[in-house]
Amino acid sequence: MDIFSSLLLGLQEVLTPVNLLFALAGCVLGMVVGILPGFGPPAAMALLLPVTFVVGPIPGIIMIAAILYGSMYGGTITAVLLNVPGEPSSVATTLEGFALAKKGRGGPALVIAAVGSFVGAFVGIIGMVLAAPLAMAVLTLGAREYFAIGVLGLALVVGLSGRHLIKGLVCALIGLSIGLVGLDPVMGTPRFTGGMPEFFDGIDLIAVVMGLFGLSEMLVGLEERVVTGRISKLGRIAPSREEWRRSWGPMARGSVIGFFMGLLPGSPGTAATFTSYVVEKKLAKREAQFGKGAIEGVAGPETANNALGIATMIPMFTLGIPSSVTMAIMMGAFIVHGLTPGPLLFRDHPDVAWAIIASLLVGNLLLLIMNVPLIRVWLLILRIPYPILFALVVGLMILGAFVVTGAAINILVLLVSGVVGYLLRKLDVPLAPIALTMVLGKILEENLVRALLLSDGDVSTLVASPFAATLLAVAGLALIGPPIFRLASRTRKAAAAVAAPSGQAGADAAEAVAEVPETFDAVPSTHYSKEKK
C-alpha cells in the first residue's frame, strides 16, 4: 500500500465521531494553553497523559498532538493583542503584531498569522508523509547504528544548549541517572532502587515530566503576574489585498526554515521564528516598517513556528528518537499503550501511525476555522484568577500521577520533580535535557548492550559500521562546534574593536566582550512581560 492510500485510510479513521471529538478537544485545550502565559504545552500534555491511558491510543494521542499545535495558534492571540506571548515561540510575533494592533490592524494580523500557521503545518505534514518510507528503511539498521543515532540525538540536545553547555551536560547526566533506576536489562537485578519495589520498573516518566515542566511552571507563576494592560482593538478582520500579496513570500520562506530547523533535535521554536524574522527583515523592500507594524514580520515567524512544530515529530515517527520535550512526552503516550514509536510503529501498528498523521491535517483545519471568529471568547480565559487556576491544575496533576500506575509513590515523584524543576528554573538551567535523556538513556543502554553481546564485548564494533562511525563523528562535532563558534565570534569582535577608531574603541570593546546572543538558547520560562508582586 502506498503512502497516500495509507494517509486516506488514516483520514477515514480520524473522521470517526470519537476521534474527531478528541481532536476538537485537543485543539480547544491547546488554544487555552497558548493563551495562558506560564502554562506551556509540555505542562498541559503531561497533565493529560493519564487521560490517554483511559480512552485508548488513537484518540488519546490525537488529543495530545492537538494540544501541541493548538497552543501555537493560541499564543499568537495574546502576542498580537496584548503584547504578551503565551508561548516562547510567539515572542517574535509581538515585534510586529502588537505594532499592527495599535494601528487598528490586529484583526488582519491574526488572520495572516492563522493562515500562515496552517500553511506551515501543511508543509510540515507533507514532509512527514514523504519521510514515512524512511521508517521502514531504518528497520535494516543494527544495534550499533541505533546506539549511534541515540548518541547523536543526545549530543544535539546538549550542544544546542547554547551558552548553557555545562548546565546542559549536567542535566543530561541527571536524566541518564534517573533512567538507570530499575531492573538491569541483562541481569534482571534491581539497581538504584533503594530497596523499593515500586521503582523496579523505573521512575515514572509521566510523573517526572509533569513535575519538571508543569508543577514548576505553576510555582513560578505564583511569583509573577501577567501585565496585560488594555486589549488592543481588532479593527477590520479581513486583510487587504496588499497585505495578502506581501505575506505569501514570507509564508513560503518560513515554511522551509521551520521545517528544516524542526528536524534538528533540541532546536526551540524561538530559533525558527527569530531566524524567519531576521530573514524577512533583510529581504524586505520596506525595511523601515519593521518595528512599526510590518505584516511580513507576522507571516514569516508564525509559518515557521508551525512548520517546526510538525517537523519535530519526524525523528520520533521514523527513528524513535524524541527531538524535543514535547516529543518525549508524546513518546510517553505511546509507551503507556505498549506502542514503540519509530519504524516498528509503521510495521506493527500502521493504523495508529497514519491516523495520528492524518489528525494533524484535520486538527490544523479545525484551528484555522476556530481561531479568528472566537478571539474574544479565548480572551475571556485571561480573567480566571491565577490561584483558582493553580489549585485546579495542581490537583489534576496529582490525580494524574496516581491514576497512571496506581502507585502513591508517583505523587511524591511529582512533588519532588516540581520543586527541583522550580529551583533549576531559578538558576536558569535548561530542563529539556533531563526529560530527553530519560527517554534516550534506555535506547542507548539497550542497543549498547545488544551490540556488545553480539560482538563478544568488542568495543570497536561501535565504529565498525561506516554509518555508525559517521553519526558518532557528527555527534562529536555537535558538542564541540558551538563553543568553538562562539569563541571565534568573540575573537573577531575583539579584533574589530581594537581596529576601530579611537572614538568608538571603548564602546566597541565593551560590545566585543559582551556575551554573543544565543539563537538556539532554550527560553527557560514562558513568562513574559511580568512584574514581581
Side-chain angles (χ1 to χ4, degrees):
M1 185 182 296
D2 62 87
I3 55 176
F4 291 105
S5 298
S6 301
L7 182 61
L8 289 176
L9 289 177
L11 279 172
Q12 184 178 354
E13 177 70 27
V14 172
L15 294 176
T16 59
V18 172
N19 290 331
L20 198 58
L21 178 63
F22 276 91
L24 179 61
C27 290
V28 172
L29 290 171
M31 289 286 291
V32 172
V33 168
I35 289 169
L36 289 173
F39 189 57
M45 293 169 70
L47 175 63
L48 292 172
L49 267 182
V51 177
T52 68
F53 186 73
V54 177
V55 302
I58 294 180
I61 298 173
I62 284 175
M63 180 180 65
I64 292 292
I67 291 172
L68 172 60
Y69 50 79
S71 66
M72 298 177 186
Y73 284 78
T76 305
I77 295 177
T78 52
V80 171
L81 298 183
L82 304 174
N83 200 29
V84 178
E87 298 302 318
S89 55
S90 298
V91 175
T93 304
T94 63
L95 302 177
E96 305 300 327
F98 188 63
L100 285 166
K102 288 192 294 185
K103 294 179 180 179
R105 303 296 294 166
L110 288 172
V111 172
I112 292 293
V115 173
S117 295
F118 179 79
V119 170
F122 184 77
V123 171
I125 293 166
I126 294 298
M128 193 172 184
V129 171
L130 295 177
L134 176 63
M136 302 310 296
V138 172
L139 287 172
T140 61
L141 299 180
R144 58 191 174 193
E145 286 82 9
Y146 267 110
F147 173 76
I149 291 172
V151 171
L152 176 60
L154 180 63
L156 287 172
V157 169
V158 175
L160 293 178
S161 296
R163 64 176 179 270
H164 301 300
L165 180 61
I166 301 301
K167 294 179 180 179
L169 281 170
V170 171
C171 287
L173 291 175
I174 293 173
L176 289 172
S177 301
I178 295 174
L180 289 175
V181 175
L183 298 178
D184 184 276
V186 179
M187 306 300 296
T189 55
R191 60 185 184 186
F192 308 117
T193 61
M196 301 179 66
E198 293 88 349
F199 289 149
F200 282 2
D201 291 330
I203 296 179
D204 187 62
L205 173 66
I206 296 175
V208 173
V209 170
M210 280 198 295
L212 279 178
F213 297 94
L215 184 56
S216 68
E217 192 72 56
M218 300 305 291
L219 291 173
V220 171
L222 287 178
E223 293 186 310
E224 303 173 345
R225 63 183 178 88
V226 179
V227 181
T228 57
R230 185 173 64 87
I231 298 175
S232 301
K233 294 182 179 179
L234 287 174
R236 177 187 172 186
I237 296 294
S240 65
R241 183 177 299 179
E242 174 67 11
E243 286 172 324
W244 281 118
R245 186 188 65 79
R246 290 166 54 188
S247 298
W248 293 121
M251 288 181 189
R253 289 185 287 270
S255 298
V256 175
I257 292 171
F259 178 79
F260 285 103
M261 292 190 72
L263 299 177
L264 296 174
S267 180
T270 46
T273 53
F274 274 106
T275 299
S276 175
Y277 181 83
V278 170
V279 168
E280 295 310 319
K281 188 174 182 180
K282 294 291 185 183
L283 297 178
K285 297 179 180 178
R286 304 175 178 85
E287 186 174 346
Q289 287 190 7
F290 274 76
K292 301 177 182 178
I295 195 65
E296 296 91 340
V298 174
E302 285 299 313
T303 307
N305 186 29
N306 276 50
L308 178 138
I310 301 299
T312 55
M313 299 183 185
I314 294 178
M316 184 188 72
F317 270 84
T318 56
L319 302 175
I321 301 294
S323 59
S324 65
V325 175
T326 51
M327 289 304 102
I329 297 171
M330 189 178 294
M331 195 166 179
F334 282 97
I335 294 171
V336 163
H337 293 281
L339 302 174
T340 304
L344 295 178
L345 185 67
F346 285 91
R347 188 191 69 182
D348 300 336
H349 303 280
D351 56 328
V352 176
W354 288 106
I356 294 168
I357 293 174
S359 75
L360 304 178
L361 180 61
V362 174
N364 276 277
L365 186 58
L366 289 173
L367 284 165
L368 180 62
I369 296 171
M370 293 192 308
N371 196 33
V372 177
L374 300 178
I375 286 173
R376 298 197 184 278
V377 176
W378 302 125
L379 291 175
L380 292 176
I381 297 167
L382 292 172
R383 298 183 181 180
I384 300 175
Y386 193 83
I388 295 177
L389 183 67
F390 178 87
L392 177 64
V393 171
V394 173
L396 290 173
M397 285 181 184
I398 293 174
L399 179 63
F402 177 76
V403 166
V404 173
T405 61
I409 192 68
N410 285 341
I411 298 177
L412 179 61
V413 172
L414 166 72
L415 298 176
V416 172
S417 300
V419 173
V420 171
Y422 168 78
L423 294 175
L424 292 178
R425 286 179 187 273
K426 302 303 289 184
L427 295 173
D428 197 25
V429 175
L431 300 177
I434 298 179
L436 290 173
T437 51
M438 279 187 67
V439 177
L440 288 174
K442 296 184 183 299
I443 298 173
L444 287 168
E445 183 182 17
E446 290 176 2
N447 288 285
L448 174 62
V449 170
R450 188 178 296 118
L452 293 178
L453 287 175
L454 291 174
S455 64
D456 294 326
D458 184 6
V459 180
S460 64
T461 189
L462 299 177
V463 293
S465 163
F467 182 72
T470 301
L471 291 181
L472 291 174
V474 173
L477 290 175
L479 279 177
I480 66 174
I484 293 175
F485 174 79
R486 289 194 296 275
L487 178 62
S489 180
R490 285 196 292 268
T491 303
R492 286 196 302 270
K493 283 194 172 186
V498 171
S502 58
Q504 299 179 352
D508 289 346
E511 181 182 357
V513 297
E515 190 68 43
V516 179
E518 304 296 339
T519 304
F520 292 99
D521 274 356
V523 178
S525 175
T526 54
H527 295 273
Y528 294 90
S529 304
K530 295 179 168 60
E531 294 177 344
K532 292 286 183 183
K533 290 185 178 180

